[in-house]
Amino acid sequence: LIKLDHAAFEKQFVVYGTNQIEARYILSHAFMERIVSFYEKSGKNLSLGFVNGKMCLALEYQKALFSSSLNDSLLTFSHIKSYVELLEMIFGIVESLALDKKLWSKYK
């Protein structure tokens, strides 16, 4: 168990790891702020894992992503809209957590 100095983050998340120093490097105060902000805005449960220089993110999503009703046309606007919203959410995660920033260059 790794304890961090961010009360709002620790209220929502539990951190486990094998290296206290590396955990604090990855989970900087600014990064924890972005995670808490994303969680509060989205209202969705999320889990993050960092293994071998890669980040895995699991996000709660209630809809079946790769199946459709046989009675519904895939060309209707509602189907297209739901996939566009999903893509916007995924790109929003990358942007809001600033996953393309220099911090991650250490692991490339």
Side-chain angles (χ1 to χ4, degrees), residues 1-15 24 32 36:
L1 179 66
I2 296 175
K3 290 288 191 182
L4 301 165
D5 61 348
H6 194 293
F9 183 86
E10 286 202 323
K11 182 178 178 183
Q12 301 298 333
F13 301 96
V14 178
V15 177
R24 286 184 174 82
M32 288 187 286
V36 169

Side-chain angles (χ1 to χ4, degrees), residues 47-104:
S47 299
L48 295 165
F50 301 91
V51 179
N52 297 327
K54 306 270 188 228
M55 183 182 91
C56 299
L57 185 138
L59 183 65
E60 177 182 45
Y61 194 75
Q62 297 297 324
K63 295 179 184 178
L65 295 176
F66 302 107
S67 64
S68 178
S69 170
L70 294 176
N71 299 325
D72 296 334
S73 169
L74 294 176
L75 301 176
T76 61
F77 182 71
S78 62
H79 286 291
I80 295 168
K81 182 181 178 207
S82 66
Y83 281 105
V84 169
E85 288 172 348
L86 174 64
L87 290 173
E88 286 177 340
M89 181 176 60
I90 291 168
F91 286 114
I93 291 168
V94 172
E95 289 174 7
S96 69
L97 298 181
L99 297 179
D100 56 343
K101 300 296 182 209
K102 192 173 182 177
L103 167 70
W104 303 102

